[in-house]
Amino acid sequence: MGHAYIIVYSVTDRSSFESASELRIQLRRTRQYENIPIILVGNKTDLVRSREVSVEGE
């Protein structure tokens, strides 16, 4: 249990984004009565040609 969470995914790997999104949902469910900050961070944004996750997360 933490006071805040930072979840990092790779924008060059769609499955890492999907896993990060699922983890965020699980954290919200388990800590639903607490206002815990969760920050979702896209890594490798400099690799534009390899991007698999759009800026909008689709």
Side-chain angles (χ1 to χ4, degrees), residues 5-13 16-21 23-24 37-45 51 53-55 57:
Y5 297 92
I6 298 174
I7 303 171
V8 181
Y9 68 94
S10 170
V11 299
T12 64
D13 182 1
S16 75
F17 173 73
E18 292 167 358
S19 295
S21 296
L23 180 56
R24 185 191 64 81
I38 299 174
I39 301 168
L40 190 60
V41 177
N43 191 21
K44 300 184 181 180
T45 57
R51 183 181 279 271
V53 180
S54 71
V55 175

Side-chain angles (χ1 to χ4, degrees), residues 7 9 12 16 20 28-29 33-34 36-37 48-49 52-53 56:
I7 303 171
Y9 68 94
T12 64
S16 75
R28 284 285 176 228
R29 281 187 197 138
Y33 300 109
E34 302 171 59
I36 303 292
V48 177
R49 292 181 186 211
E52 292 183 7
V53 180
E56 292 81 25

